Amino acid sequence: MVTIRDVATAADVAVSTASRALNNNPRISQKSRDRIQLIAKDMGYRVNSNAKNLSLGESNVVGVIFPVTKVGNQENTFHIDMMRGVNKELAPRKYVMSVAMGQTDTELLSNVQAMVLEAQIHRFILLYSKKNDMVTQFLSTQNDVRYVVIGEPVDSGTQFYVNNDNVLAGFDATKFLERTYNSKHILFIKSNKNWNFEIQREHGFNHAIDELKIKHKSSNLGLRHGNDNSDRLIAYIKAHANVDGVVAADDMIGFTFFNFWKKTFNKDIPVIVFNNNQLFSRMGNNNFHCVDLYPDKLGQEAAKLVFSDDTRGYVVVPHKVR
């Protein structure tokens, strides 16, 4: 492999001069920079991006922070899709991802602190937004750290975020059921996590219900581990047999309800969820719909923002009912 020393020898200059020329340092004349860069190109030399950034006090790594996740929780494909979008933007910049995860807030904070203070990572993307978050509170105190939140910011210290219009998404999902299936008794189901995006989608649901003047009900079923609550869920479904459409704040919750409804009554019910999960779409049928939030686009836009020169900024990624 060709090194910077090889380039310096071929150009008959000091290693420090070759390094400055390859990094477009204005202390080296344009003529010398062009000559040395041409030699490096002919020799097949490639800049070590990590070493270059470390010389500036920063690694060529972007930290991607997951929400607190307990062992045994099912993998969230939405997060994986967001990471694909992040990587799409990082690759041309010669940056890579480093993931921070934890089973508790304290464990996650400790991992992020190590990334900042020991690994010299100064750019972060959080795949979540929540109130009184220890991680965002820490990052906001670091002068040389820039972070972007995916989701509606709930703390004043957040300057950059990327999000969908979740209120409008909830509204559109509800109107879709009424328009497509003439649903008049629509149920909104959510997790027990009280995530901000679920609250916003429920607001949109309520706005649509008020406009349509139809009957509805909201329920916190806590269905993250669907089969663990099968008896309670079946009892709930039997007690609400008049429901003729479901808006689910989460795709796993929606798919679990869809399956238990079919097992209970041996028929389908129209369900719409918020994530274009291809597996659930295939396992469901024409009555299982989604609001595509384009998580890969969310990730890509977040990565763009983390390199932006702006002092504040946000991006709203449009959704589509499918």
Side-chain angles (χ1 to χ4, degrees):
M1 184 178 70
V2 179
T3 67
I4 186 69
R5 189 173 297 278
D6 296 329
V7 174
T9 299
D12 195 23
V13 296
V15 172
S16 59
T17 301
S19 177
R20 291 191 184 102
L22 293 174
N23 287 304
N24 282 314
N25 191 311
R27 293 174 59 186
I28 307 300
S29 70
Q30 187 64 57
K31 182 178 179 181
S32 294
R33 276 184 273 166
D34 291 342
R35 183 179 71 86
I36 294 170
Q37 289 173 9
L38 180 59
I39 291 172
K41 182 179 179 181
D42 290 341
M43 295 178 68
Y45 174 75
R46 296 184 64 183
V47 176
N48 185 328
S49 299
N50 189 47
K52 175 183 176 181
N53 285 336
L54 283 175
S55 70
L56 301 174
E58 177 187 350
S59 68
N60 67 324
V61 179
V62 171
V64 177
I65 307 173
F66 274 66
V68 170
T69 306
K70 302 294 184 183
V71 171
N73 278 13
Q74 298 195 37
E75 181 181 299
N76 191 326
T77 60
F78 196 79
H79 292 151
I80 303 303
D81 289 338
M82 285 193 287
M83 289 177 66
R84 289 194 182 98
V86 172
N87 188 64
K88 184 177 181 180
E89 187 64 27
L90 296 189
R93 300 175 184 271
K94 309 298 184 189
Y95 271 69
V96 296
M97 285 185 289
S98 180
V99 173
M101 303 180 76
Q103 296 184 55
T104 65
D105 289 327
T106 302
E107 182 182 348
L108 182 61
L109 174 62
S110 178
N111 290 339
V112 173
Q113 288 174 329
M115 294 168 80
V116 174
L117 303 176
E118 298 174 26
Q120 295 293 307
I121 299 175
H122 294 170
R123 303 174 196 268
F124 289 88
I125 296 172
L126 289 83
L127 304 185
Y128 67 94
S129 173
K130 76 173 186 178
K131 235 177 206 182
N132 302 318
D133 180 45
M134 297 168 65
V135 171
T136 52
Q137 289 172 356
F138 165 72
L139 292 177
S140 65
T141 65
Q142 305 301 301
N143 293 330
D144 56 348
V145 166
R146 185 184 184 95
Y147 69 94
V148 177
V149 167
I150 297 182
E152 189 78 25
V154 290
D155 289 324
S156 59
T158 299
Q159 304 294 323
F160 302 93
Y161 69 95
V162 177
N163 199 19
N164 305 108
D165 186 337
N166 282 299
V167 175
L168 181 59
F171 180 90
D172 289 345
T174 309
K175 292 289 287 286
F176 172 82
L177 287 183
E178 193 276 337
R179 182 177 64 251
T180 307
Y181 294 97
N182 197 32
S183 298
K184 300 301 181 184
H185 295 80
I186 303 178
L187 173 68
F188 183 91
I189 54 177
K190 56 190 175 181
S191 74
N192 56 1
K193 300 295 185 182
N194 205 34
W195 288 109
N196 196 41
F197 63 84
E198 291 190 327
I199 294 171
Q200 291 177 331
R201 292 167 189 170
E202 187 173 8
H203 285 333
F205 168 81
N206 288 328
H207 290 166
I209 290 297
D210 290 342
E211 182 177 301
L212 294 169
K213 295 181 171 55
I214 59 178
K215 296 181 179 180
H216 72 288
K217 183 177 180 62
S218 295
S219 181
N220 174 358
L221 298 179
L223 301 180
R224 287 289 180 181
H225 306 282
N227 291 333
D228 297 338
N229 304 303
S230 57
D231 291 341
R232 180 172 63 85
L233 178 54
I234 291 174
Y236 181 92
I237 289 173
K238 287 180 177 179
H240 297 83
N242 65 328
V243 170
D244 57 5
V246 177
V247 179
D250 174 273
D251 54 353
M252 180 66 71
I253 292 172
F255 189 71
T256 301
F257 191 95
F258 181 81
N259 279 335
F260 273 92
W261 181 279
K262 189 168 185 175
K263 289 178 182 178
T264 304
F265 295 120
N266 196 31
K267 65 178 182 179
D268 291 335
I269 185 172
V271 173
I272 187 165
V273 301
F274 297 87
N275 185 19
N276 187 15
N277 188 312
Q278 295 298 316
L279 177 61
F280 290 163
S281 296
R282 287 195 297 269
M283 292 174 65
N285 55 33
N286 292 335
N287 291 316
F288 192 83
H289 303 275
C290 75
V291 178
D292 195 341
L293 302 174
Y294 299 103
D296 55 336
K297 186 68 172 175
L298 289 169
Q300 188 173 6
E301 292 297 332
K304 289 179 180 178
L305 264 184
V306 88
F307 287 101
S308 168
D309 293 328
D310 296 334
T311 56
R312 297 180 70 90
Y314 68 93
V315 176
V316 176
V317 175
H319 60 268
K320 183 176 183 179
V321 177
R322 297 185 182 276

